[in-house]
Amino acid sequence: MQSFRTELENPLVEQDIIDLDKKIRLFREGVIHEEKFRSLRLARGVYGQRQPGVQMVRIKLPFGRVTFRQFLRIADISDEYASSNLHLTTRQDIQIHYVSLDRTPELWAKLSEDDITLREACGNTVRNVTSSPAAGIDPKEPFDVSPYAQATFAYFLRNPICQEMGRKFKIAFSSSEDDTAFSYIHDLGFIPKINAAGERGFRVLFAGGLGAQPVLAHLVHDFLHEDQVIPYIESTLRVFDRYGERNNRNKARFKFLVQKLGLDEVLRLIDEERTANKVKTYKIDREVVADPALPATQADNPAPIADEAHYQAWLKTNVFEQKQPGFYGVYLKILKGDIPTAQARELVEAIRPYAADEMRITQNQGLLLKYVRAEYLSHLYVALHRLGYTALGFDSLADITTCPGTDTCNLGISNSMTLAAVLEDLVYQEYPEFIYDKQLKVKISGCMNSCGQHGLAEIGFHGSSLKAAGKVVPAVQVMLGGGTVGDGIGRVAERVIKVPSKRATDVLRVVLNDYRAERTGTENFHTYYDRQGKDYFYRLLKPLADLSTLQPEEFVDWGHEETFETAIGVGECAGVMIDLVATLLLESEEKLGWSEASLQQGAWADAIYHAYAVFVGSAKALLLDKAVNSSTQAGVIREFDERYVQTGEIELTGSFSELVLQINKNEPSEVFAKQYFTLAVDFLNQVRTKREAVVQS
């Protein structure tokens, strides 16, 4: 086994890396089943990509915050282990591609030297906690939400309650009512408020999501006190873990649990779960996110500008005055979210003299620079322009969000990256006035799963296919009318029509030409779309869906030379499950060890939850012997009572439900933790005995 000592010498991080290395070896030796191993590596940020034999590694950056040193470290890692490119994501992460599985532990160890983690960047876990990129400097914010996002990230990282859920869980903090973190499409979304007493709190949005079946979040709190944010999330996750679907991944997101049980019942269960929470109140350290170091540069005179008109347009579309007087935030539009590592290094050196030592990755795959003094703006512009990073129209129609699509993703149906570049160029060339419109967005996904967030765009496209002349044609589903309204209210785009991919440019032209001609006064796109209605746009675009006029080049996707074929692999966004009896029992034994270790550390709540996992995992193992594969933990508990306790095959004092669900009837005290652990030991021994008898019979 390799030695993974980090500069931080964080024992938890070190153990994570050692465990990953060990499990890779066991997988190579055939000890760990492929599907089980997949779930293990996903929870450690290692994701299979479209090309066989290599991995995408997702680097988790809480609320998109990254220092210059961290950014350079990631560039070095991409050069050494990946493809010398950094891909910025819509969840404020950085992804690198074409990584050898066997080198991922070593890669992680080197990242950890600069306090960077891969843990829970993928898989059935709490994904990266996002926030508005301008949090902390937003002139409209009641207060900085960055410390709350950081506290949420830290509290739930490695937390037993959310390590093996049925699906992923997404949390976002917006900085103001503008809702630039899109609270309305998250499992939990938070918008900051200050009440009449001057207290901090949040408007809470609940059980939203995009994907193939988008759902707008429910408003469940107008004002939740800041000290209740962490407890509320904890209770919610505990309910999702117990009652969430685990067999059918297409129905396993939190939004489907709310649809199944009803909002009132889910809220009741959350309230019931509070008793078992590790914390009943959690005070956020407002100073946990330190102010970034400011540059020491002195600039007495403005830098000479070669194109004054372009500079003034850049100031208007990419620069804003911070809430801190005398300082400005500067947005960088990054085409397709891709930064080659050589340019990443040049970029850091270019901005270091003029901006604070902290960048934020934005939800539209750009970068935000902070604390630029007014007298430095011209110097920064010149430095950025030299590198090609002064493209106009940040967060406008010309700033298109896209997922990697068929470039690297297993689920990609059609190319989205090249299409994004083509559409951006079209806007610049034919509709330059729209670079000033930040209420009109184009977003593209390579498939219906909405990684490019097409469902919350005014104009969205997702990859699809059509059949014509006995061949498959690359296509896009056109979506219209989505977007952010504000303060937790959003709109899901409607499916209007499907057209060949090569006609997406014409779709954009037709829609924009009509919008220019038909809108009244300053009418925004939402009002214009609602006034015209979905059928109006179907009829407007119907000629573009005519397959009788297909040209040979339309059978070839954007960015390709060969005739299009659909080649969809197995997606890994949500992780996988494996229900082999022996594997489940081995996992239960491992979790019993974790419970005992938590007891020794005095971590009573963690010990209890690990013991709970022992009960459920062991019971599920025996149920598989009866060909019963319950889709939820609550179902496992119920089925075990019916199949084993009520039949007398397993003898318990009382029901299995009463035994296991002591977990949410008791405070996480030392006494209860030790008692519950002992009961879990006894139960696992009974299950082992029963299993041995079944095997031998």
Side-chain angles (χ1 to χ4, degrees):
M1 183 179 297
Q2 299 181 54
S3 174
F4 298 108
R5 299 299 298 176
T6 70
E7 286 183 9
L8 297 175
E9 295 192 348
N10 183 326
L12 292 176
V13 174
E14 186 178 349
Q15 189 59 50
D16 271 343
I17 297 168
I18 291 171
D19 283 347
L20 177 60
D21 183 56
K22 177 181 177 182
K23 286 185 171 139
I24 289 172
R25 287 190 296 101
L26 292 174
F27 166 65
R28 296 294 192 202
E29 294 166 5
V31 176
I32 297 180
H33 190 282
E34 181 179 3
E35 290 190 349
K36 178 59 188 173
F37 177 70
R38 187 183 305 167
S39 68
L40 291 169
R41 64 171 165 77
L42 282 169
R44 289 150 182 85
V46 183
Y47 187 106
Q49 64 181 65
R50 195 178 190 91
Q51 296 75 14
V54 290
Q55 315 294 317
M56 177 269 282
V57 170
R58 181 175 294 148
I59 298 165
K60 193 173 185 179
L61 300 167
F63 52 98
R65 181 174 182 259
V66 59
T67 65
F68 294 157
R69 178 171 173 169
Q70 289 174 325
F71 200 65
L72 293 173
R73 168 72 71 172
I74 297 169
D76 289 344
I77 291 295
S78 185
D79 279 345
E80 185 174 358
Y81 299 92
S83 59
S84 295
N85 186 68
L86 309 181
H87 180 70
L88 313 182
T89 80
T90 57
R91 292 207 63 75
Q92 301 178 289
D93 297 307
I94 292 178
Q95 292 177 177
I96 58 177
H97 294 83
Y98 298 93
V99 178
S100 165
L101 174 63
D102 294 324
R103 302 186 74 193
T104 52
E106 179 184 332
L107 175 159
W108 189 354
K110 290 185 177 180
L111 284 173
S112 72
E113 293 174 10
D114 282 307
D115 199 17
I116 305 169
T117 191
L118 309 182
R119 180 71 190 238
E120 295 154 51
C122 307
N124 301 326
T125 59
V126 174
R127 296 293 183 84
N128 195 27
V129 178
T130 61
S131 81
S132 298
I137 63 173
D138 184 351
K140 297 181 180 180
E141 67 183 22
F143 54 86
D144 183 7
V145 300
S146 303
Y148 301 85
Q150 173 63 31
T152 301
F153 157 77
Y155 187 86
F156 293 103
L157 189 71
R158 302 184 183 87
N159 195 309
I161 69 171
C162 53
Q163 294 305 296
E164 297 177 321
M165 298 183 294
R167 284 283 309 255
K168 56 195 171 185
F169 196 93
K170 297 180 178 180
I171 301 171
F173 289 83
S174 280
S175 60
S176 73
E177 291 182 2
D178 285 353
D179 201 7
T180 51
F182 314 132
S183 68
Y184 59 93
I185 53 94
H186 280 78
D187 296 296
L188 279 173
F190 297 90
I191 300 172
K193 301 289 180 181
I194 295 179
N195 66 12
E199 298 172 313
R200 291 185 179 188
F202 291 88
R203 185 178 179 89
V204 182
L205 284 300
F206 188 87
L210 287 176
Q213 300 179 57
V215 173
L216 295 173
H218 306 268
L219 173 65
V220 290
H221 286 284
D222 275 318
F223 184 87
L224 179 70
H225 192 276
E226 61 174 330
D227 293 351
Q228 290 302 308
V229 168
I230 296 294
Y232 191 76
I233 298 173
E234 181 175 353
S235 296
T236 301
L237 287 170
R238 293 171 73 96
V239 168
F240 181 47
D241 193 36
R242 185 166 303 131
Y243 295 94
E245 170 68 35
R246 290 173 181 270
N247 289 351
N248 181 358
R249 58 182 279 178
N250 295 322
K251 293 290 184 181
R253 289 296 301 274
F254 189 51
K255 61 188 177 184
F256 295 117
L257 177 62
V258 172
Q259 289 177 359
K260 177 182 176 182
L261 300 182
L263 179 61
D264 289 343
E265 174 63 9
V266 172
L267 294 177
R268 185 193 69 78
L269 290 170
I270 289 170
D271 188 60
E272 182 179 78
E273 205 67 30
R274 288 180 60 85
T275 301
N277 272 2
K278 185 185 296 187
V279 293
K280 303 301 183 292
T281 185
Y282 191 95
K283 190 169 183 60
I284 304 294
D285 178 1
R286 298 179 183 178
E287 308 301 320
V288 69
V289 180
D291 290 334
L294 303 184
T297 304
Q298 297 295 321
D300 297 326
N301 299 305
I305 303 294
D307 186 342
E308 185 65 26
H310 188 273
Y311 174 57
Q312 291 301 323
W314 177 78
L315 290 174
K316 188 171 183 179
T317 65
N318 293 45
V319 178
F320 68 96
E321 188 170 6
Q322 297 180 189
K323 71 178 186 180
Q324 294 83 3
F327 290 100
Y328 290 80
V330 176
Y331 286 113
L332 275 60
K333 199 167 89 61
I334 308 296
L335 180 63
K336 301 183 292 186
D338 280 343
I339 305 178
T341 53
Q343 287 189 15
R345 293 186 185 88
E346 291 179 330
L347 178 62
V348 169
E349 292 311 306
I351 65 181
R352 193 190 297 274
Y354 310 113
D357 185 6
E358 179 191 301
M359 298 183 288
R360 298 279 177 103
I361 298 167
T362 68
Q363 278 82 350
N364 60 345
Q365 302 170 292
L367 288 172
L368 171 61
L369 312 181
K370 304 169 68 175
Y371 288 95
V372 180
R373 296 185 184 277
E375 57 268 30
Y376 298 169
L377 286 170
S378 61
H379 295 270
L380 178 61
Y381 170 83
V382 170
L384 291 172
H385 194 69
R386 191 179 301 118
L387 298 176
Y389 285 114
T390 55
L392 305 179
F394 179 85
D395 202 31
S396 73
L397 184 69
D399 193 359
I400 296 176
T401 303
T402 177
C403 71
T406 52
D407 281 13
T408 56
C409 179
N410 273 324
L411 290 177
I413 298 173
S414 62
N415 186 294
S416 50
M417 301 278 269
T418 303
L419 177 57
V422 168
L423 293 182
E424 284 195 11
D425 187 62
L426 185 152
V427 173
Y428 284 126
Q429 297 299 321
E430 301 180 27
Y431 303 92
E433 71 271 26
F434 283 111
I435 67 172
Y436 300 98
D437 190 342
K438 294 184 182 292
Q439 293 185 310
L440 182 55
K441 310 287 195 305
V442 174
K443 297 179 186 290
I444 307 172
S445 300
C447 72
M448 66 182 69
N449 286 312
S450 207
C451 294
Q453 300 177 335
H454 64 266
L456 57 82
E458 284 75 13
I459 303 173
F461 300 96
H462 79 67
S464 189
S465 63
L466 292 164
K467 288 186 177 180
K471 294 189 286 188
V472 181
V473 183
V476 290
Q477 174 69 56
V478 180
M479 314 276 291
L480 296 175
T484 303
V485 177
D487 206 20
I489 300 172
R491 299 162 54 108
V492 172
E494 294 185 305
R495 291 179 174 85
V496 175
I497 199 167
K498 189 186 291 187
V499 304
S501 292
K502 287 291 179 70
R503 300 180 186 180
T505 49
D506 291 324
V507 169
L508 189 58
R509 286 189 181 100
V510 169
V511 172
L512 292 180
N513 288 343
D514 193 79
Y515 179 45
R516 275 198 305 203
E518 300 297 329
R519 67 176 172 179
T520 59
T522 58
E523 185 178 47
N524 67 21
F525 192 86
H526 288 162
T527 306
Y528 152 77
Y529 179 80
D530 292 343
R531 178 168 55 81
Q532 302 286 38
K534 176 182 174 179
D535 186 61
Y536 172 87
F537 291 96
Y538 173 78
R539 289 183 280 106
L540 187 68
L541 296 172
K542 188 176 180 181
L544 296 176
D546 183 1
L547 300 184
S548 68
T549 60
L550 280 169
Q551 300 300 307
E553 62 269 19
E554 293 184 280
F555 289 92
V556 179
D557 201 6
W558 292 104
H560 292 260
E561 297 180 357
E562 70 281 0
T563 301
F564 178 76
E565 292 181 6
T566 53
I568 306 171
V570 177
E572 298 188 341
C573 293
V576 296
M577 273 195 25
I578 181 167
D579 288 327
L580 301 176
V581 176
T583 299
L584 286 170
L585 290 176
L586 284 171
E587 286 181 359
S588 293
E589 291 172 4
E590 184 178 36
K591 288 167 184 173
L592 192 68
W594 296 345
S595 182
E596 186 173 22
S598 296
L599 284 177
Q600 293 170 356
Q601 296 162 12
W604 314 127
D606 289 356
I608 293 165
Y609 212 85
H610 287 312
Y612 165 77
V614 173
F615 282 119
V616 175
S618 304
K620 185 165 190 172
L622 280 193
L623 285 170
L624 288 176
D625 273 331
K626 292 182 181 288
V628 177
N629 185 8
S630 186
S631 64
T632 67
Q633 290 181 347
V636 168
I637 295 168
R638 182 180 62 254
E639 292 279 1
F640 193 83
D641 264 328
E642 293 177 5
R643 309 276 179 159
Y644 281 97
V645 178
Q646 293 172 14
T647 61
E649 290 187 59
I650 293 288
E651 294 184 4
L652 299 175
T653 303
S655 70
F656 185 57
S657 175
E658 291 169 336
L659 172 64
V660 177
L661 294 183
Q662 293 181 72
I663 189 173
N664 63 7
K665 309 288 190 301
N666 290 271
E667 299 280 344
S669 64
E670 178 180 1
V671 171
F672 178 64
K674 290 180 176 178
Q675 173 194 346
Y676 199 63
F677 171 79
T678 300
L679 292 171
V681 171
D682 292 343
F683 181 72
L684 181 56
N685 286 335
Q686 266 194 285
V687 168
R688 283 198 196 103
T689 302
K690 178 66 178 176
R691 172 64 180 164
E692 288 169 5
V694 170
V695 171
Q696 292 171 7
S697 63

